[in-house]
Amino acid sequence: MQASREDTLPILKDLIGFATVSADSNLALIDYAAHRLRDLGAEVKVYRDGSGAKANLFATIGPETDGGIVLSGHSDVVPVEDQDWSSDPFEMRIADGKAYGRGTCDMKGFIAAALAMAPHYAKADLKRPVHFAFTYDEEVGCLGAQALMHDLALLPFKPAVCIIGEPTEMRIIEGHKGCCEYTVTFTGMEGHGSQPDLGVNAVEYAVRYVARLMELRETLKTRVPEGSRFDPPWSTLQVGRLAGGVAHNVIPGHATLDWEMRPVVNADADFVKREIAAYVKDELLPAMRAVSKDAEIVTEIIGEVDGLEPVPESEALRIVAELTGANGADLVAFGTEAGLFQRLGISTVVCGPGSIEQAHKPDEFIALDQIDQCLTMLGRLTSKLQA
C-alpha cells in the first residue's frame, strides 16, 4: 500500500507555492495540510504561537493510544533574497529528473510524501497510530518544535517513535550535535581614558568573559564520551563576534558578545552554562558593581537546540532500518529537531529524501527518485502500523 510520485508532486507543488520563509507566516501551509488530513478523518490539532501568525500542526490517524509513530517536518524555509535563481523559487519546476523550488529538499519533499501517504494510512486498519507533526521556525532556532514539545507532553497518549524527514538521501542518521547560541550584553560606565579606574570598561569585562569561555573550551576536550564518533569527538565552543567602544580615549560603557557551543551530550551544555553563570555572579559582576551599582551582564538565549544522541537500543533505528534495508546509521554535522523529540522520551532518527548539499542554495532541488525511495519507506510503514 503505497502512494505514487504522481500523487506526491501536485502536493509538493502546492507546498512550494506557500512562501513560508521563517520571517513570514506559515498559516496558509498549515491550513492546507490540516484540511487534507481532516478530510481523511484525522484528529488534527493546530497550535498557534503568541503572535497568531505561526502555527504547529499535530495530527493523528488511527487510535489515539500510546506507541504511535510520528512523521515530522518543518514548514519554514530560508530566504531567497540575493540568490541567483533560474526560475521563480516559489513555483515548482520539473526538469532532468529533479523538482526545483525553495524547500523542495529542505524539507517539503518529505511533508508532501507524508501527505500523499495519508489516504492509504486512513484506509488501513491501524493498530498503532501514525502522527503528523509539522512545525514553524526550525531554521531560526527550532522555535516551533520547542513549543510543540510542551503541547505533546500534555496529550493523554505518548508517541514511541519519530522519523524526522530532513534531507539525508534516505540514509539513517542516529546522531548530531546540539547547537546553543547566546548574545551577552555588558553594561559598564563610561569615562575618560586617562582615568580607567574611575569607569567600568565593558569591553575589558567581555574579554575576561571570553577568556573563561576559552578555558571551558579546553575542559570540554577532556569530557569526550567514550566511543564518540563525532568530528571533532568533543563538544565545541567558539566566539563569533565581540563589539564595543566608540573611541581610543573613551572607556567603553557597552559591549556585546556573540558565542555558540555545539554539545555532543546535553550534560556538556549544562556544564558550560553552570560554570559561566557562576563566573559572572561570583567574579565579574561584583568587580563591576564595586565601581558602578548599575553595571550589568545580561545573557540572551538566541537558540538552544538539543543534539540527537546515539543510543545503544533504538526502536526508531530498528524500524527505519527494516523499512529501508539499511544496515547501519550515520552522524551528521547539521542540526535538526530530533533531539527535542528524544528528550521527550520518543525514540528518534533522521531519514528523508534529498541531499543537504542542495539545501539553502539557489535552484534548490530534490531528485525525483529520492521521492520514490521515501514513498517506498512510508508505504512499508503501513505494515508496522497494522501489527
Side-chain angles (χ1 to χ4, degrees), residues 325-346:
N327 56 9
D330 300 320
L331 309 180
V332 290
F334 63 87
T336 76
E337 299 169 334
L340 296 168
F341 284 91
Q342 186 182 59
R343 177 169 279 198
L344 200 62
I346 301 172

Side-chain angles (χ1 to χ4, degrees), residues 45-69:
K45 296 179 174 64
V46 174
Y47 303 100
R48 294 203 182 199
D49 73 343
S51 72
K54 306 280 184 75
N56 293 318
L57 176 147
F58 188 80
T60 301
I61 292 177
E64 290 194 341
T65 185
D66 292 343
I69 297 177

Side-chain angles (χ1 to χ4, degrees), residues 223-235:
R223 294 169 55 97
V224 180
E226 183 177 355
S228 174
R229 292 152 48 211
F230 288 100
D231 182 21
W234 52 78
S235 298

Side-chain angles (χ1 to χ4, degrees), residues 193-210:
S194 65
Q195 295 181 302
D197 291 345
L198 299 182
V200 178
N201 191 311
V203 170
E204 290 182 6
Y205 280 97
V207 169
R208 290 175 62 180
Y209 185 105
V210 170

Side-chain angles (χ1 to χ4, degrees), residues 258-273:
D258 294 336
W259 66 281
E260 66 145 36
M261 61 176 162
R262 297 178 183 254
V264 172
V265 293
N266 292 325
D268 281 354
D270 294 338
F271 165 73
V272 170
K273 290 190 291 183

Side-chain angles (χ1 to χ4, degrees), residues 71-82:
L71 304 177
S72 181
H74 63 81
S75 65
D76 61 316
V77 298
V78 297
V80 298
E81 281 76 20
D82 300 321

Side-chain angles (χ1 to χ4, degrees), residues 168 171 173-177 230 330-336 350:
T168 68
R171 294 179 300 125
I173 303 304
E174 64 173 339
H176 62 73
K177 293 183 180 181
F230 288 100
D330 300 320
L331 309 180
V332 290
F334 63 87
T336 76
V350 184

